[in-house]
Amino acid sequence: MLAPPHAGCYAVALAAVAFSRPRPLYSSLFQHRSLAFSSRASLRFILSAGMEHFSTKGSMDKNEGLVEQLKHYGMIKSDKVAEVMQIVDRGLFVPEGSPAYVDSPMPIGYNATISAPHMHATCLELLEEHLQPGMRALDVGSGTGYLTACFAMMVGPQGRTVGVEHIPELVASSINSIERSAASSLLNEGSLSVHAADGRKGWPELAPYDAIHVGAASPDIPRALLEQLKPGGRMVIPVGNFFQNLKVVDKNDDGSVHVYSEASVRFVPLTSRAAQLQDY
């Protein structure tokens, strides 16, 4: 779940990507709402995508149009990820009246947001090999349930997907959204579930997990989540305070861990329910 960065992010982003390679991660740079870029970014993409970002006409008023735009700009390269993002309609997982098919994070209440679609695509592609049919996935800070539903569609009815969110109202609304989505049968059959709990502790009842996604930034990698990651599995988690990196955590078969940074990002903090609601 992405949060607004400081107002200087646009200039920083342009300077950072001018010398880098193709395939960016961007987030509403023209509105200074959120930022995600990596060493694979391109200045041309960010400038053109900034203009496309404001389009809500034509193909962008439908989920399929959004996915096609992300594919066009290289933000989705995987056919499987494109397929699941087309099947799971983002419009069912954003507040009523929100522009569901614009590539931007959006507030969902309770000082939380739903990430921009390109960030969802990035995480799905990073985790794709660990979201094969029959595998287990954990979504920490599941929010509206959109990415949880995508995970469930990828691991299928023989797999197991768990969403953990510490705001009970968001848990209830996410279940309602999933029930209206293509993942409804998985929810009804029990291979997909969403729980109100402290995501920093994971969901040990169904561990270990092949894939773990964390939708909020932690100062470090929570030990509980690392312990619940299956040998051979992968976790994607934003780490840091004001300056954050999207970390990819691979646990080897012998239990050793390899960590690398995929992108610079801005997410809301992974914190307690009381701290999140303090100013709400």
Side-chain angles (χ1 to χ4, degrees), residues 112 142 229 278:
S142 52
L229 185 63
Q278 184 174 3

Side-chain angles (χ1 to χ4, degrees), residues 12-266:
V12 172
L14 293 182
V17 301
F19 302 99
S20 56
R21 293 175 289 173
R23 193 172 184 255
L25 308 179
Y26 75 97
S27 295
S28 311
L29 295 177
F30 286 74
Q31 290 184 329
H32 304 304
R33 289 199 54 191
S34 57
L35 168 64
F37 59 87
S38 73
S39 60
R40 295 181 290 179
S42 74
L43 178 60
R44 180 194 63 79
F45 173 78
I46 285 187
L47 291 175
S48 59
M51 298 306 295
E52 290 290 343
H53 167 77
F54 291 102
S55 173
T56 57
K57 299 179 180 179
S59 63
M60 289 299 284
D61 63 357
K62 295 183 179 179
N63 194 64
E64 184 177 357
L66 170 63
V67 174
E68 287 302 316
Q69 288 283 33
L70 293 174
K71 288 171 62 179
H72 176 75
Y73 285 108
M75 296 313 303
I76 298 179
K77 295 185 178 296
S78 163
D79 290 340
K80 181 64 177 178
V81 170
E83 179 184 4
V84 76
M85 289 185 69
Q86 286 177 341
I87 292 173
V88 181
D89 189 341
R90 188 171 189 263
L92 299 173
F93 294 87
V94 300
E96 186 175 355
S98 299
Y101 309 117
V102 171
D103 190 20
S104 172
M106 296 177 190
I108 58 174
Y110 310 98
N111 288 329
T113 61
I114 180 174
S115 295
H118 77 266
M119 182 55 69
H120 286 148
T122 296
C123 292
L124 285 168
E125 291 201 346
L126 288 171
L127 291 169
E128 181 177 3
E129 294 305 313
H130 306 273
L131 293 169
Q132 298 300 311
M135 291 185 173
R136 294 194 171 201
L138 173 64
D139 187 17
V140 174
S142 52
T144 68
Y146 172 78
L147 207 53
T148 320
C150 291
F151 292 161
M153 296 298 294
M154 293 181 77
V155 303
Q158 302 305 316
R160 192 68 170 85
T161 302
V162 180
V164 178
E165 168 60 54
H166 63 187
I167 305 296
E169 293 85 352
L170 287 178
V171 172
S173 63
S174 68
I175 290 173
N176 179 264
S177 296
I178 293 170
E179 287 175 340
R180 295 182 289 132
S181 77
S184 60
S185 62
L186 301 174
L187 183 70
N188 295 333
E189 294 166 4
S191 62
L192 164 59
S193 61
V194 185
H195 306 272
D198 187 340
R200 296 171 296 182
K201 299 177 182 178
W203 192 255
E205 289 87 339
L206 293 172
Y209 299 96
D210 299 276
I212 297 178
H213 167 264
V214 183
S218 175
D220 48 30
I221 300 171
R223 179 171 294 276
L225 298 183
L226 194 56
E227 290 174 349
Q228 291 173 39
L229 185 63
K230 183 178 180 179
R234 169 172 284 188
M235 180 186 341
V236 174
I237 176 173
V239 176
N241 294 307
F242 187 82
F243 296 103
Q244 303 167 5
N245 287 302
L246 187 67
K247 299 284 188 179
V248 179
V249 182
D250 289 319
K251 180 181 278 190
N252 301 317
D253 291 336
D254 62 3
S256 60
V257 173
H258 173 69
V259 182
Y260 70 89
S261 295
E262 172 67 17
S264 296
V265 292
R266 290 298 307 277

